[in-house]
């Protein structure tokens, strides 16, 4: 697989993990766990490296992904206080879409 194909595949997957917002972060077809959010965060660094190699500017997308991958586990640990991820996003000012 070429670097460009790898970049596109990883970008599309990370985009997919956030397409259900404000419901939550996905991992495959299910909601992500804390450890899966760690894996997703690591994937953002892989994507960033590929983007740099290819000259792609995806800073806004990476910021968007990292915000959710960092905070979704916090929401999960305190879910009874927030009820829904949407309420969590309202309280902490989370974005629902990234700027392209």
């Amino acid at each position: 697989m070429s670097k460009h194909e790898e970049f596109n595949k990883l970008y599309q997957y990370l985009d997919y993990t956030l397409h259900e917002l404000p419901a939550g972060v996905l991992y495959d077809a299910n909601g992500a766990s804390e450890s899966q959010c760690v894996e997703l965060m690591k994937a953002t660094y892989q994507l960033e490296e590929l983007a740099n190699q290819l000259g792609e500017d995806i800073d806004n997308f990476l910021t968007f992904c990292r915000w959710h991958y960092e905070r979704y586990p916090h929401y999960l640990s305190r879910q009874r206080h927030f009820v829904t991820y949407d309420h969590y996003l309202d309280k902490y000012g989370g974005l629902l879409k990234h700027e392209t």
Side-chain angles (χ1 to χ4, degrees), residues 72-89:
Y72 192 66
H74 179 255
Y75 157 74
L76 291 175
S77 72
R78 302 186 50 84
Q79 192 170 4
R80 65 187 172 109
H81 298 286
F82 296 105
V83 184
T84 67
Y85 193 50
D86 192 25
H87 288 134
Y88 182 90
L89 294 174

Side-chain angles (χ1 to χ4, degrees), residues 2-3 8 13-14 17 21 24 26 28 31 36 39 47-48 50 54 69 72-73 76 83-84 86 88 91 97-98:
S2 74
K3 285 187 186 215
N8 284 334
Y13 180 67
L14 294 179
T17 67
L21 291 175
L26 294 178
D28 293 328
Q36 290 167 333
E39 287 180 44
L47 184 63
E48 183 175 39
L50 288 167
L54 296 168
Y69 301 154
Y72 192 66
L76 291 175
V83 184
T84 67
D86 192 25
Y88 182 90
K91 179 172 174 104
K97 294 184 178 182
H98 63 88

Side-chain angles (χ1 to χ4, degrees), residues 56-84:
E56 297 283 346
D57 180 9
I58 58 166
D59 289 345
N60 289 335
F61 178 71
L62 291 171
T63 298
F64 174 73
C65 291
R66 289 172 179 160
W67 193 96
H68 289 284
Y69 301 154
E70 182 180 316
R71 288 165 180 85
Y72 192 66
H74 179 255
Y75 157 74
L76 291 175
S77 72
R78 302 186 50 84
Q79 192 170 4
R80 65 187 172 109
H81 298 286
F82 296 105
V83 184
T84 67

Side-chain angles (χ1 to χ4, degrees), residues 10-34:
L10 189 52
Y11 185 100
Q12 289 171 1
Y13 180 67
L14 294 179
D15 192 46
Y16 165 80
T17 67
L18 300 173
H19 86 274
E20 289 289 333
L21 291 175
V25 175
L26 294 178
Y27 188 89
D28 293 328
N30 300 308
S33 67
E34 183 176 349

